Every structure is written in structure tokens, then in C-alpha cells.
């Protein structure tokens, strides 16, 4: 299990990528409507991504590369950098499976391990698996407007709905008023402590969608550490062969 | 037959390689490791030696649902003082519509997440999360997927020391979030004089899942015996993660194995060849514990302990790992044995038995490419 250092970018897709929104004229919108526009853009039939994850801690930097396929409920990720080459993950709803390439074994991952950093990064497995619509998980309200990197943003605060299991009790999100992309997000524990902060460094328009292709997540509990995520290739609605999201495909 | 088995597979892979090289990319990867290993004997004398190894793998393209694998392990052998090699993988796998067929030298183990596995295809293939050479078999495997999580596997292997075929059958499924497997193995037996014995048979069942925040797993094995009752072995275990305020994590794993002493040696494998020379019908209770603490994104420290509840002997296995750069990692590990004379993990005094070291300390660098 020590080798369990893997992971999934689909989450990243869900965390940053699909915080994209279509360009609309912003009239006075409610918090629900703003988040819904963001949510609506997070849901797609399928996506294929090639990406690299840059883990920085102190003066050291390690780069992991990966290919991932995802549909609305399932994800399949394979790492391609030399150190982790052939390591694969399959997420089926709330279950996670890992393929160890040397041993050629498929092991089911314990649920508590979903909270650990994937591949030594600041992203957790749970970050990735939280694929429900944000509006189903949180009650949002608008708490202001701010400028981020010259872009005017809505600032929204979301507090976890009662009885709903979430990784972060509260989240504050800065959403571009024109493109409806999340440019920044702060994730808090129930105690009020800031746990993580994500920022979008670069956005590109791809196939009519505004996609954050370069983002960074900072673990605020640790010093001098952050994880960057760069998309090198993205394809929407690729043809996914039957059986892709199965244990047999991990072998 | 066995003599030509690998040659035939190698020939086929070579042909595939030759025929596809003009339009497909072939990649080479692996790990280069150099370690300084220090053996500590019972008198405290330290004998150091250098161990170098190269694990080399060819990454061949998959063509028409056919995949070829070749992995060789080159190492300096301290016994012969020369270089030696072991072919880990040399196989062809074809994915038919209804089944996957794999033929050649391949790793076969039926791990389910435990540190020891009393119901593996080859007992001792994985010991304390480390694979052993027993795992690699000249074999044919037929894998039949029935749905996304349900499958049947049939394995026919040619063991190194036998002309007989070893058979195994395994079913796997996922039920309500629990990973369930059921298996059967029929294995030819030969005693140390080379006499062929009746084949041994065993059946095994494993389960892995979650109970709230704790990961749980278990195994139940039944080893058939001729003309008498069989032997029962069982294993129960769990794992748990605790997160500190600073974001660091410590991971715990604990398991208990109950098994007849006679069956223990193979499960412990070559790493922990304890004193299993008497009272072979005695039931042994082993407890294994592991704690792994992530210091930061790149380094972790761990401690594993294996203890016999029957005699109190124990092995402590501390370790430290640091990924120094993208491709370079540093590993420190040790194994220290504690116990009275002739206990399971203690010093042995039996005549004719090779003295067991008191411990081992290793420091190594691994370069991945």
C-alpha cells in the first residue's frame, strides 16, 4: 500500500477544469444560479485528458504524467512517468481500485485512504471522487465581488448541507463574472481552519469551453508546498470502449 | 517441455518486436539499484557487501489485442561472486472477446491487501508487501471476465522443481463494496529426497472492504490432508489512517494469522526463515503490525513488526524512503530478530541448521528510467 501514490486527474477535472462556464451576459444572478451555471459545465458525457502534476515541496520538484478517461460516474487513470509507469486506478462510484504494474495485482483501496494525498500531491483521492454537483452538497450565498488578476469575480460562500458527507465543510469561491470560471477557491475545515487554496494560472478556450489548463493547489497546513496541474491535451466526449471502467481493463 | 517453454515465448516476442519495430515505438525502462547490505551475526560481527541490480523491462506496443512483456532482473550474486539473472516476465497476452489468455513466464499472485497471504496461488509469493521469486511462474492463465468486477481465472503452472502441473482456479467479485475471492489450488509435492508425494490441495476465501473509517480484510484457508482431517488457517486484519493537524498522515495496519506450524515456512518465505524444525503440528499465532508516517511529500518512515504469540519472538523491520528527485530514491531498511534460542524468530541452535543472522541493515539508491 505504500506504493499507493497514485492518481486521478479526473478529480482535477472536476475541481478546476470544469469550473468553466459558458460566456453569458451577467445580469443579476442569485448564488444558486451562478453555481448552477458552473455545475452545468462540470457535467459532460466523457473526457480524455493528458496532464502533468508538478509536486513542489521546499526546493524539490517532482513531475508525474498521466492519461485519464472519465465519464459522469467512473474514471480510469494511468501514470506514464518512469517512476510510476503502468500504475493504474479505477474509480467506480465510491470504490477505488489500484493496479500495481510490477506485481501485476489489482487491490481494492480502503475507504479511509481516499483522504490521503494522491501521488504525494496536495490533491486527495476524495477531492477527485467528490463528483456530485456542488449545489447538491452546499448551500451557497454571494458574499461580495472582487477582482482577481484583472477579472471581476463573484465571491460565493458554500456551507455543507446538513447530513451531506463532504471533504470540506466550507468553501469560498471566486467565479469570473464573464466566463463563469472558478479563478480561486479556499477550502475550510469545520473548525474554520483554511486547509487548501486553489488558483487558476492559465485559461484556454477549447472546443467552445473555457478550460483552466494550468492550476495550482496549495496545502495551507504545510509550508513551502504546492501542487501544480497542467493539462497538455483534452478531448471532450471521446469514444470510450465498452469495458473501459472495469477490473479487466486494469490488467 | 519446460526447457523450451521460455525459448518459444522469447522467439515469438522477438518476431513481434521485429515485425512491429518499423512502425511502433518500443520503449525500455526499469530500475538500477545499488545497496550496501550489512549482515549482523549472533556475535555482533558485521559483514558488509555491495548488491547491485538492474531491473530491465521492454515496453512493447499492444497490437491487435496482443501484448508482449519482457522483464529481466540482473544482479550480482554474493554466493557465486558473479552476475546472475532472473527472467521475471516473458509472456504473451491476447485479449479475446470473451477471455484473456496469457502464456509464458509471468507473476501470479492472488493478493488482496494483506501483509501475509495464506491462500495465495504460491504461498510466500508476497511476504510483508515484498514480492519473492516464488511469484514468477512458467504458466498459462485463462482469465474470463463476467462483468466489470466478476471474473474467473484458471492457471496451469510448471513449477521449477516438478514435472507435474500445478493448477489453480480463482473467482472474484464485488458485493456491496466488498471484494470477495474464492480459490482452489492443486500443487505437486516433492520431498527433499526428490520423492514424488501426493499432490497437496487447498481452498481459500478472502474478503476486503470497509467498516466505517477502518479498512478490514480476512482470509480463510483449508489445507487438505491425506487420510486425516485437514488444516484450517485464517487471517484477519485492518488498516486505518490518522491525519495530524499539520496535514501529515500516519497509516496503521494490523493483522493476525493462525496457521499450523508445518504450513508456516512457505508463507513466511525466504525472508523470514525462522526455526520451524520441531512441533510441526503446533498451531502458530502470528501478529503483524505496520505503521507508516509520511514526513513530507517525498519521504516516509515506517516500522513493521512480526511476532509469534506462541513464544514471544519478534522481527522488527524499520525503514525510511526518500524520493530525492524525479527518478532517484534513497532507501534505508533493517531487520532485527529478537527471541530466545530455538524460538520462531530467535537464534537457532539445532544441529545441521544454518545459523540465522541476528539482523540486517541496508542502505540503497534506486534510479528509475
Amino acid at each position: 500500500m505504500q506504493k499507493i501514490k497514485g492518481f486521478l486527474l479526473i478529480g482535477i477535472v472536476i475541481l478546476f477544469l470544469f469550473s468553466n462556464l459558458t460566456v453569458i451576459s451577467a445580469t443579476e444572478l442569485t448564488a444558486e444560479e451562478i453555481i448552477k451555471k458552473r455545475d452545468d459545465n462540470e457535467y459532460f458525457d466523457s473526457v480524455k485528458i493528458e496532464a502533468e502534476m508538478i509536486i513542489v515541496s521546499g526546493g524539490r520538484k517532482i513531475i508525474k504524467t498521466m492519461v485519464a478517461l472519465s465519464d459522469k460516474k467512473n474514471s480510469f487513470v494511468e501514470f506514464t512517468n518512469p517512476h510510476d509507469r503502468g500504475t493504474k486506478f479505477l474509480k467506480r462510484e465510491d470504490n477505488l481500485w489500484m493496479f500495481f504494474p510490477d506485481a501485476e495485482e489489482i487491490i481494492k483501496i480502503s475507504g479511509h485512504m481516499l483522504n490521503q494525498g494522491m501521488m504525494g500531491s496536495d490533491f486527495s483521492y476524495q477531492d477527485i471522487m467528490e463528483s456530485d454537483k456542488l449545489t447538491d452538497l452546499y448551500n451557497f450565498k454571494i458574499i461580495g465581488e472582487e477582482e482577481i488578476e484583472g477579472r471581476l469575480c463573484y465571491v460565493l460562500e458554500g456551507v455543507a448541507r446538513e447530513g451531506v458527507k463532504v471533504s470540506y465543510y466550507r468553501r469560498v469561491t471566486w467565479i469570473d463574472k464573464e466566463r463563469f470560471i472558478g479563478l480561486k477557491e479556499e477550502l475550510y475545515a469545520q473548525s474554520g481552519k483554511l486547509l487548501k487554496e486553489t488558483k487558476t494560472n492559465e485559461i484556454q478556450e477549447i472546443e467552445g469551453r473555457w478550460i483552466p489548463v494550468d492550476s495550482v493547489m496549495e496545502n495551507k497546513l504545510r509550508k513551502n508546498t504546492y501542487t501544480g496541474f497542467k493539462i497538455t491535451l483534452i478531448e471532450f466526449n471521446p469514444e470510450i470502449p465498452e469495458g473501459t471502467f472495469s477490473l479487466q481493463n486494469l490488467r | 517441455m519446460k526447457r523450451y517453454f521460455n525459448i518459444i515465448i522469447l522467439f515469438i516476442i522477438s518476431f513481434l518486436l521485429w515485425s512491429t519495430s518499423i512502425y511502433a515505438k518500443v520503449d525500455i525502462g526499469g530500475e538500477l539499484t545499488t545497496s550496501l547490505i550489512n549482515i549482523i551475526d549472533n556475535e555482533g560481527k558485521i559483514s558488509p557487501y555491495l548488491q547491485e541490480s538492474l531491473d530491465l523491462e521492454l515496453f512493447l506496443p499492444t497490437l491487435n489485442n496482443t501484448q508482449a512483456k519482457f522483464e529481466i532482473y540482473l544482479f550480482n550474486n554474493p554466493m557465486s561472486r558473479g552476475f546472475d539473472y532472473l527472467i521475471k516476465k516473458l509472456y504473451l497476452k491476447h485479449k479475446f472477446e470473451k477471455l484473456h489468455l496469457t502464456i509464458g513466464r509471468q507473476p501470479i499472485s492472488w493478493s488482496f491487501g494483506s501483509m501475509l497471504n495464506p491462500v495465495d496461488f504460491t504461498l510466500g509469493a508476497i511476504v510483508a508487501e515484498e514480492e519473492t521469486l516464488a511469484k514468477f511462474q512458467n504458466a498459462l492463465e485463462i482469465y474470463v471476465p463476467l462483468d466489470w468486477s466478476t471474473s474467473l481465472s484458471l492457471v496451469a503452472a510448471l513449477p521449477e522443481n516438478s514435472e507435474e502441473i500445478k493448477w489453480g482456479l480463482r473467482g472474484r467479485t464485488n458485493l456491496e463494496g466488498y471484494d470477495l475471492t474464492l480459490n482452489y489450488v492443486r500443487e505437486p509435492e516433492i520431498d527433499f529426497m526428490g520423492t514424488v508425494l501426493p499432490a497437496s490441495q487447498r481452498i481459500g476465501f478472502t474478503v476486503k472492504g470497509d467498516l466505517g473509517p477502518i479498512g478490514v480484510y480476512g482470509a480463510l484457508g483449508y489445507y487438505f490432508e491425506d487420510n486425516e482431517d485437514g488444516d484450517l488457517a485464517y487471517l484477519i486484519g485492518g488498516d486505518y489512517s490518522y491525519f495530524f493537524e499539520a496535514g501529515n498522515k500516519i497509516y496503521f495496519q494490523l493483522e493476525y494469522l493462525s496457521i499450523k506450524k508445518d504450513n508456516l515456512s512457505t508463507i513466511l518465505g525466504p525472508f523470514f526463515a525462522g526455526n520451524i524444525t520441531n512441533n510441526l503440528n503446533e498451531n502458530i499465532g502470528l501478529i503483524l503490525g505496520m505503521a507508516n508516517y509520511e514526513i513530507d511529500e517525498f519521504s516516509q518512515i515506517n516500522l513493521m513488526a512480526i511476532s509469534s504469540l506462541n513464544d514471544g519472538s519478534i522481527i522488527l523491520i524499520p525503514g525510511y524512503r526518500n524520493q530525492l528527485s524525479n527518478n532517484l530514491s534513497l532507501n534505508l531498511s533493517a531487520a532485527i530478530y529478537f527471541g530466545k534460542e530455538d524460538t520462531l524468530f530467535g537464534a537457532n541452535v539445532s544441529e545441521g541448521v544454518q545459523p540465522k543472522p541476528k539482523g540486517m541493515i541496508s542502505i540503497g539508491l534506486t534510479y528509475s528510467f
Side-chain angles (χ1 to χ4, degrees):
Chain A
M1 231 33 75
Q2 295 170 13
K3 285 189 177 178
I4 294 176
K5 292 197 162 204
F7 214 96
L8 239 286
L9 83 100
I10 261 341
I12 294 158
V13 173
I14 287 163
L15 276 180
F16 316 121
L17 313 198
F18 298 105
S19 51
N20 62 343
L21 297 182
T22 51
V23 179
I24 67 166
S25 60
T27 55
E28 290 303 315
L29 298 171
T30 65
E32 286 285 308
E33 288 170 330
I34 295 166
I35 291 297
K36 187 173 183 309
K37 288 180 184 299
R38 180 178 169 178
D39 264 355
D40 287 344
N41 282 276
E42 291 178 359
Y43 289 85
F44 47 89
D45 289 336
S46 59
V47 67
K48 180 182 179 183
I49 289 177
E50 292 181 17
E52 59 183 38
M53 195 157 60
I54 305 107
I55 305 165
V56 179
S57 181
R60 273 190 282 171
K61 179 169 78 174
I62 286 177
I63 299 174
K64 316 270 187 187
T65 56
M66 66 193 83
V67 178
L69 275 168
S70 179
D71 67 11
K72 289 180 178 178
K73 288 186 174 178
N74 310 308
S75 305
F76 183 90
V77 177
E78 179 171 1
F79 280 87
T80 53
N81 58 296
H83 192 265
D84 309 291
R85 177 157 39 193
T87 302
K88 298 176 195 172
F89 287 86
L90 170 69
K91 190 205 85 171
R92 292 271 307 199
E93 298 187 344
D94 286 340
N95 292 304
L96 191 64
W97 306 75
M98 181 177 181
F99 175 75
F100 296 85
D102 292 338
E104 299 196 6
E105 294 168 347
I106 299 170
I107 304 288
K108 186 178 189 299
I109 306 300
S110 294
H112 63 82
M113 298 192 74
L114 300 175
N115 288 319
Q116 79 170 13
M118 61 185 186
M119 298 291 279
S121 76
D122 294 306
F123 295 99
S124 72
Y125 293 93
Q126 196 61 42
D127 286 336
I128 290 155
M129 295 180 74
E130 221 173 54
S131 57
D132 295 308
K133 289 187 174 184
L134 285 175
T135 45
D136 292 338
L137 303 175
Y138 294 89
N139 290 315
F140 280 97
K141 66 178 179 184
I142 299 171
I143 58 173
E145 291 185 5
E146 278 182 25
E147 223 174 67
I148 299 268
E149 304 282 332
R151 307 285 309 183
L152 195 58
C153 295
Y154 293 111
V155 185
L156 278 77
E157 179 192 56
V159 177
R161 290 179 184 270
E162 200 170 320
V164 173
K165 190 179 174 185
V166 291
S167 297
Y168 311 104
Y169 177 74
R170 189 169 75 95
R171 56 204 309 154
V172 178
T173 306
W174 282 255
I175 296 177
D176 187 318
K177 287 189 75 170
E178 185 183 350
R179 298 176 294 186
F180 287 87
I181 292 177
L183 296 182
K184 178 183 170 185
E185 190 160 43
E186 293 175 347
L187 304 165
Y188 292 85
Q190 191 161 7
S191 64
K193 180 169 276 194
L194 177 59
L195 301 174
K196 294 176 181 176
E197 182 180 285
T198 63
K199 283 182 181 172
T200 302
N201 293 331
E202 185 184 348
I203 296 165
Q204 286 182 12
E205 189 175 14
I206 302 170
E207 295 183 23
R209 292 170 179 257
W210 288 101
I211 302 295
V213 293
D214 184 353
S215 304
V216 67
M217 177 176 270
E218 190 177 352
N219 186 337
K220 304 303 281 188
L221 299 178
R222 290 180 171 179
K223 291 178 182 172
N224 303 319
T225 171
Y226 63 88
T227 300
F229 188 79
K230 286 187 179 178
I231 295 172
T232 52
L233 181 76
I234 186 165
E235 184 183 347
F236 295 108
N237 302 318
E239 189 175 332
I240 296 181
E242 190 180 350
T244 295
F245 303 114
S246 66
L247 295 189
Q248 71 190 75
N249 195 41
L250 280 177
R251 301 174 85 244
Chain B
M1 171 66 182
K2 274 191 293 185
R3 183 181 303 173
Y4 301 112
F5 190 79
N6 285 333
I7 296 173
I8 293 168
I9 300 296
L10 183 60
F11 175 78
I12 296 171
I13 290 177
S14 302
F15 175 75
L16 284 174
L17 192 60
W18 171 78
S19 63
T20 60
S21 59
I22 52 173
Y23 59 87
K25 189 185 174 196
V26 176
D27 204 1
I28 296 177
E31 284 186 349
L32 180 65
T33 302
T34 182
S35 303
L36 178 65
I37 298 172
N38 299 277
I39 304 295
I40 307 165
D41 67 18
N42 281 315
E43 293 166 357
K45 186 182 168 191
I46 298 175
S47 307
Y49 69 91
L50 270 176
Q51 171 86 65
E52 293 101 12
S53 66
L54 173 64
D55 204 313
L56 199 62
E57 183 170 1
L58 282 185
F59 295 94
L60 306 171
T62 300
L63 288 173
N64 301 322
N65 291 325
T66 301
Q67 182 185 20
K69 279 262 175 110
F70 177 63
E71 183 177 352
I72 189 168
Y73 181 66
L74 301 154
F75 59 101
N76 67 328
N77 189 332
M79 304 295 286
S80 66
R81 301 195 174 198
F83 270 85
D84 213 336
Y85 73 95
L86 170 82
I87 295 175
K88 284 185 165 181
K89 299 175 188 175
L90 179 61
Y91 68 75
L92 286 167
K93 177 186 285 184
H94 184 79
K95 295 187 176 181
F96 294 96
E97 190 179 343
K98 299 289 185 187
L99 60 88
H100 301 177
L101 179 68
T102 308
I103 183 165
R105 190 161 182 83
Q106 55 189 293
I108 296 178
S109 92
W110 293 339
S111 295
F112 60 96
S114 62
M115 291 184 276
L116 292 178
N117 186 355
V119 293
D120 208 336
F121 178 74
T122 300
L123 300 179
I126 301 282
V127 182
E129 297 192 333
E130 296 289 338
E131 66 182 22
T132 71
L133 301 184
K135 175 174 185 154
F136 300 98
Q137 304 269 327
N138 294 323
L140 177 146
E141 186 205 49
I142 299 170
Y143 173 86
V144 185
L146 301 174
D147 63 30
W148 78 267
S149 67
T150 306
S151 62
L152 282 174
S153 301
L154 173 69
V155 179
L158 295 167
E160 298 290 343
N161 57 353
S162 173
E163 295 298 322
E164 300 280 320
I165 291 178
K166 175 179 174 181
W167 295 96
L169 184 65
R170 187 196 199 201
R172 183 176 201 170
T173 193
N174 181 61
L175 188 65
E176 300 290 328
Y178 284 88
D179 180 31
L180 306 174
T181 73
L182 182 66
N183 69 57
Y184 165 80
V185 176
R186 185 181 187 280
E187 184 168 15
E189 293 284 347
I190 297 178
D191 69 11
F192 65 96
M193 298 288 286
T195 310
V196 177
L197 303 173
S200 68
Q201 297 179 80
R202 59 180 178 272
I203 55 173
F205 170 75
T206 70
V207 58
K208 189 171 194 296
D210 294 304
L211 279 179
I214 299 173
V216 292
Y217 54 86
L220 186 65
Y222 185 81
Y223 302 67
F224 293 92
E225 295 282 348
D226 286 338
N227 303 321
E228 58 181 287
D229 292 337
D231 301 323
L232 199 64
Y234 68 89
L235 178 142
I236 52 171
D239 49 53
Y240 178 73
S241 296
Y242 177 79
F243 291 83
F244 294 94
E245 187 80 338
N248 303 59
K249 186 199 75 173
I250 188 164
Y251 168 82
F252 298 100
Q253 190 168 358
L254 187 70
E255 69 188 42
Y256 173 78
L257 171 67
S258 173
I259 193 168
K260 201 171 88 172
K261 200 172 184 180
D262 191 21
N263 296 320
L264 186 61
S265 58
T266 47
I267 289 176
L268 287 176
F271 290 165
F272 310 115
N275 299 313
I276 314 179
T277 54
N278 47 26
N279 300 327
L280 293 180
N281 284 320
E282 182 186 5
N283 235 45
I284 289 277
L286 278 187
I287 192 152
L288 290 85
M290 198 254 282
N292 186 80
Y293 176 68
E294 289 181 357
I295 300 166
D296 57 28
E297 279 79 355
F298 304 125
S299 58
Q300 54 186 263
I301 191 166
N302 61 70
L303 177 66
M304 181 181 288
I306 306 175
S307 178
S308 161
L309 296 183
N310 295 55
D311 58 32
S313 60
I314 188 170
I315 310 175
L316 288 180
I317 310 168
Y320 170 77
R321 180 181 169 84
N322 193 329
Q323 190 169 350
L324 302 172
S325 69
N326 272 340
N327 297 44
L328 189 66
S329 60
L330 168 73
N331 297 289
L332 291 170
S333 66
I336 307 158
Y337 297 78
F338 297 95
K340 294 177 182 171
E341 288 180 352
D342 273 345
T343 53
L344 189 62
F345 300 120
N348 53 34
V349 294
S350 306
E351 275 188 36
V353 177
Q354 190 174 350
K356 186 156 53 65
K358 180 75 178 168
M360 180 276 295
I361 299 172
S362 166
I363 177 169
L365 286 169
T366 298
Y367 180 78
S368 307
F369 57 96

